[in-house]
Amino acid sequence: MTTQKRNTGLPSTGTWSDETAKTLSSLDTRGYNGGEVIDSRYTIIERIGAGGWGDVYRAHQHSTKREVALKMLREEVARDSVAKKRFIMEAEAISKLVHQNTVTLFDFGETSGGTLYMAMEYLEGDSLDSVVRTQGPLAQDRVIRIVRQIALSLDEAHGKQIVHRDIKPHNIMLLQRRGEPDLAKVLDFGVAKWLTPDKEITIAGTAFGTPEYMSPEQVQSKPVDSRCDIYSLGIVAWTMLMGRPPFVGESPITTALLHLKTGLPRLPQNLKIDPRLEGLVRAMTAKNRDDRPSDISEVIVALDGLSLPAASRVSPKKLRGTRYNPVPIFLVSGGIVSGALSLMFYLSNVHIPEASGMGRLTSPAPVASAKTVTTDKIATKSSSSSVGNFALPLLKQTEKDEPE
């Protein structure tokens, strides 16, 4: 399958599987043709992406004479007030984010016919999903570099009370610029959650995300916070190291269930992954969010620590908000000793609570015992394509406390 070097704000058609392509072909493909003018400001060049809620076009912006990615809400979807409000909130979210690792929003508007659109930077690159599919497992240093950039994007978003909720390889673009290999850009804040009451539009009993990368609390439709992004980013990191997601079931439902009761598989020894990196990934993907790093900034500091020389190590400290063993602290000096601290993880004797289904890292990760699960209907994004919304059961887990 040929990879298309295009920014969409949605997955590029060049990265979709054959099954997803069939889903795309079943969608209403009515849209704009090349040469059509939008709102007297943009001329359509070509359609470069499509999803359940909207289409994305490469377009020419008249005022600046630059190419942009024009994301337009489908007319039939715009009749839904909730979908329309979510599109507006996506534009508002992106407009508040200025980090270089987040896609830039240039413009937002509404045509005379009532079609909402947003104009974003047009990025020539490959989705992380496409890179992993074509290249397989990525080198450890490359994984660290990419994960760190995504974390930096999320750090800004979380600081502005925005939780992405759909971090996955499809929503990460990698650009190859001179002096900046693998410049990562986080896309698609379409299901982002604002952690402020006035921005809440989530309907009770619903959950959003992509099953391969959803946190346990998302699967169970529990209230989420920034730690759900930390979990998803940990799953993305594992996917890059292995060349495939850790949890893939026969259906979106069975895939989602694996996040609740199955421990993260151990990375093969022949990959020679730094034990500290594996320890970090396991901490990020703890089933209980209280056992994860409490803030994405802690992940950034830990990643920074992975590249520091062993001679810099001093007495260990425990990472705030976690229940695993010590994290070496690094002191960085530059003329004078500063208070800058960097965190990283030991693998030896690292202990993840048994209740999380993780076990000790020195032995195969056990599978937690089956829980009583009741179901109710929720809406969630497709596990394979993010095209449209699919009905999945709400997974309510009831269990007795298990001894550690």
Side-chain angles (χ1 to χ4, degrees):
M1 185 176 297
T2 302
T3 300
Q4 298 185 14
K5 295 175 176 289
R6 294 170 176 172
N7 169 61
T8 63
L10 294 170
S12 165
T13 54
T15 68
W16 286 338
S17 64
D18 293 337
E19 179 181 352
T20 306
K22 292 178 182 177
T23 305
L24 176 61
S25 66
S26 68
L27 295 172
D28 181 359
T29 56
R30 291 176 299 173
Y32 295 91
N33 299 315
E36 290 192 62
V37 177
I38 305 299
D39 205 19
S40 301
R41 303 168 70 182
Y42 301 94
T43 297
I44 298 296
I45 298 174
E46 61 178 335
R47 188 169 74 162
I48 57 177
W53 285 11
D55 297 314
V56 183
Y57 299 87
R58 182 163 66 100
H60 176 78
Q61 185 176 25
H62 300 173
S63 60
T64 61
K65 295 181 172 56
R66 65 184 168 193
E67 290 188 359
V68 299
L70 197 64
K71 185 173 183 179
M72 307 188 70
L73 189 66
R74 291 177 182 271
E75 292 182 8
E76 60 271 24
V77 176
R79 300 188 189 104
D80 184 322
S81 60
V82 173
K84 188 172 183 178
K85 184 175 181 179
R86 187 170 293 284
F87 191 86
I88 294 172
M89 287 178 60
E90 177 185 3
E92 184 178 347
I94 300 176
S95 71
K96 295 183 180 299
L97 304 176
V98 297
H99 196 275
Q100 69 166 352
N101 295 121
T102 305
V103 64
T104 300
L105 179 71
F106 295 140
D107 189 17
F108 176 78
E110 183 173 358
T111 67
S112 58
T115 299
L116 294 174
Y117 65 85
M118 63 179 83
M120 300 174 289
E121 61 178 321
Y122 178 76
L123 305 173
E124 291 193 273
D126 298 296
S127 73
L128 179 57
D129 174 68
S130 175
V131 170
V132 172
R133 286 178 182 271
T134 57
Q135 299 181 20
L138 306 185
Q140 174 178 287
D141 290 347
R142 191 179 184 190
V143 171
I144 292 173
R145 184 167 63 251
I146 294 171
V147 170
R148 185 181 185 278
Q149 291 179 82
I150 300 169
L152 287 170
S153 171
L154 292 175
D155 186 49
E156 182 193 30
H158 294 173
K160 296 183 178 180
Q161 302 299 298
I162 300 169
V163 180
H164 191 286
R165 290 202 299 183
D166 199 20
I167 292 296
K168 59 183 178 181
H170 303 73
N171 286 337
I172 309 299
M173 286 285 289
L174 297 182
L175 316 181
Q176 304 303 323
R177 293 179 176 173
R178 180 175 296 181
E180 292 182 293
D182 290 331
L183 175 63
K185 290 277 189 175
V186 177
L187 312 176
D188 200 350
F189 285 77
V191 296
K193 177 181 175 65
W194 292 73
L195 300 179
T196 52
D198 61 312
K199 300 292 186 182
E200 181 59 62
I201 64 170
T202 300
I203 302 172
T206 63
F208 292 95
T210 301
E212 287 93 339
Y213 302 93
M214 289 173 72
S215 66
E217 57 268 28
Q218 284 178 282
V219 173
Q220 298 178 85
S221 196
K222 292 181 178 180
V224 301
D225 57 26
S226 62
R227 290 171 293 180
C228 80
D229 284 346
I230 293 176
Y231 180 94
S232 298
L233 182 55
I235 297 295
V236 169
W238 196 98
T239 300
M240 284 191 282
L241 291 167
M242 284 295 295
R244 58 178 175 80
F247 305 123
V248 179
E250 295 181 354
S251 68
I253 296 173
T254 56
T255 297
L257 282 169
L258 292 173
H259 288 282
L260 295 180
K261 61 183 182 180
T262 303
L264 191 70
R266 295 185 63 185
L267 294 171
Q269 292 185 354
N270 66 319
L271 292 180
K272 298 181 180 180
I273 301 301
D274 188 325
R276 299 168 297 162
L277 177 58
E278 182 171 3
L280 172 60
V281 171
R282 288 188 175 279
M284 293 170 69
T285 56
K287 304 299 184 186
N288 185 339
R289 59 185 166 188
D290 291 335
D291 294 327
R292 300 172 205 154
S294 59
D295 188 88
I296 194 68
S297 63
E298 296 178 5
V299 175
I300 297 168
V301 173
L303 291 168
D304 288 343
L306 287 172
S307 62
L308 293 177
S312 302
R313 300 179 190 177
V314 294
S315 58
K317 297 281 186 179
K318 183 174 288 188
L319 185 61
R320 176 170 56 93
T322 59
R323 294 173 61 188
Y324 38 85
N325 268 357
V327 179
I329 301 295
F330 293 81
L331 296 179
V332 180
S333 61
I336 61 173
V337 177
S338 70
L341 298 177
S342 182
L343 299 172
M344 53 185 278
F345 299 87
Y346 280 130
L347 177 61
S348 57
N349 296 321
V350 173
H351 180 266
I352 306 292
E354 296 289 344
S356 70
M358 305 297 284
R360 289 186 181 274
L361 300 187
T362 53
S363 61
V367 177
S369 58
K371 309 297 187 299
T372 302
V373 177
T374 59
T375 61
D376 192 7
K377 292 292 183 181
I378 63 172
T380 186
K381 300 181 80 175
S382 162
S383 66
S384 61
S385 65
S386 297
V387 179
N389 290 328
F390 289 72
L392 286 181
L394 169 59
L395 305 170
K396 296 179 179 178
Q397 190 176 19
T398 59
E399 58 180 308
K400 296 181 179 179
D401 293 334
E402 298 180 10
E404 296 187 8

